[in-house]
Amino acid sequence: MEVAARRAVMTGLTQLSGKIAEYNAEKLGTEYFEVEWHAGARPTHTIWQGRVWSQQQLYDVCGLGTVIGLCGANCYHTYFPFVPGVSVRTYTDDWLDEQNWKESEPTEFRGKEYTLYEAKQRQRQMETAMRAQREKVQMLQGGDADPDDVMLAKCKYQGQLDEYARFSKQMGLKQERERIYIDGRWRVAPGRIDKKLNVVNTMKISVPRDAYKIKGMTSEAKHEIEAAINNLKKEYDIRLDLIEVAKMEVGDIFGAAPYLDDRGKLRFALVINEDIDYNVVKKKIQRRYDKGRFAGKSIEDYIAHEMAHIMTYQDCKNEAEFRTRQRIVERQFMQGISQYADKTGKGEESLAEAFVRYRNKEKIPIRAELLIRSYIERWKK
């Protein structure tokens, strides 16, 4: 699906959810609505997102019904009925004011300053450029181009990827490499271009032998990861197609990566960060949990987090369906699940963190339970 068509679909879904909210509000006898909040919103939307407004104020203040306002072009905010004296606000005014102040503070990169919104826009531009370069690499290969030209194209892509990583780190943003790899070409960096991506039988899936290049990785640790995956697969129908070892962001241990196979079907891989020191992983996990940074307190918890990502999207058949679902899930952000989820401001991260707490029988908001039932518990065996 082309980008413009995909955006049109998402805008239509947002507008439909608004109509449903108005219908529910009428049934509840209220004229008030709470607008959702998400990090990195366009500046004109930060003044009203996350707050409670009357139905008339949705039009007068939030610009509902206009191209640049609430539910307008490329706006993914939605709103829900709010009953004064009964409903509890998701976000306080003080918290919203603090987030707006933080997001308006610029961060410098290579002599240019970026607000959070501008940094996210720049991330999207870099991802688009990398997808274009990946396509160029494969066109050169398919056209039997000079090997030197192919290598130069690969090196340019690697340079773009490195710059993307540096920019994201400087801006305090999580790299969203799934936006790059969703094109189905997987990796085209020098030295990896010829790697075949084979779909693995989910009943026989195992950690690859190149995991032993990870510092501190032993056969016992490898088996522990496989046991954690198998424990989760005993509980849930998880469509994990591949486990691979690759470079990830500093601090990451595992990751979930969607990709398209040769037939354009959506598949999912569990990625293990090749740069971690497995000797200290368990201590690091416990320390993070004790400080409230992450919901997980074990290797299995961290893998459960990634499996939650996969289960959220595993019924999507192609990129278009994945993108549509992702936009919907991102709007379901829940504050307070973990410091990590709060920092990202993304619904898929707060959902995955909530699933870990839910599985460990820790207290989570009712809304989190409902989302887990909608997206994850449906796969329970």
Side-chain angles (χ1 to χ4, degrees), residues 128-298:
T128 299
M130 281 185 281
R131 287 195 298 271
Q133 185 64 20
R134 288 156 64 80
E135 182 178 12
K136 181 178 180 179
V137 168
Q138 291 205 333
M139 287 177 65
L140 287 170
Q141 288 182 311
D144 296 324
D146 187 302
D148 289 342
D149 291 337
V150 175
M151 181 55 66
L152 284 172
K154 290 181 182 180
C155 291
K156 180 179 178 180
Y157 169 70
Q158 184 63 60
Q160 290 174 314
L161 199 60
D162 292 342
E163 184 75 351
Y164 176 76
R166 285 191 290 268
F167 178 81
S168 299
K169 182 178 180 180
Q170 181 69 17
M171 294 295 117
L173 296 174
K174 181 177 177 62
Q175 296 180 49
E176 299 187 55
R177 296 199 179 196
E178 69 273 12
R179 293 178 179 270
I180 307 169
Y181 301 141
I182 195 66
D183 61 8
R185 295 182 174 88
W186 205 236
R187 291 177 173 81
V188 296
R192 295 190 181 186
I193 187 63
D194 295 324
K195 180 177 180 181
K196 290 291 184 180
L197 182 64
N198 296 316
V199 175
V200 180
N201 186 314
T202 56
M203 296 305 291
K204 298 179 181 179
I205 198 164
S206 61
V207 175
R209 289 195 60 81
D210 61 351
Y212 287 121
K213 68 184 179 183
I214 298 174
K215 184 178 180 181
M217 181 62 70
T218 63
S219 59
E220 289 77 14
K222 178 176 176 289
H223 293 153
E224 181 180 30
I225 294 172
E226 292 171 344
I229 295 171
N230 288 331
N231 286 341
L232 283 152
K233 290 177 71 176
K234 288 176 183 176
E235 294 181 53
Y236 298 90
D237 177 16
I238 304 172
R239 296 170 191 175
L240 176 63
D241 301 292
L242 178 74
I243 304 176
E244 80 150 15
V245 177
K247 287 184 179 294
M248 298 176 65
E249 288 187 71
V250 175
D252 282 348
I253 300 173
F254 303 105
Y259 64 96
L260 301 176
D261 64 15
D262 293 339
R263 294 173 296 175
K265 185 175 181 180
L266 192 66
R267 302 285 188 179
F268 294 92
L270 175 69
V271 184
I272 307 173
N273 190 354
E274 66 181 38
D275 291 331
I276 60 174
D277 181 352
Y278 215 84
N279 292 309
V280 299
V281 159
K282 291 183 179 179
K283 290 182 179 179
K284 180 181 289 188
I285 288 174
Q286 188 62 50
R287 188 164 59 248
R288 288 173 169 180
Y289 177 79
D290 293 340
K291 293 182 177 179
R293 291 177 59 196
F294 288 81
K297 52 186 174 181
S298 67

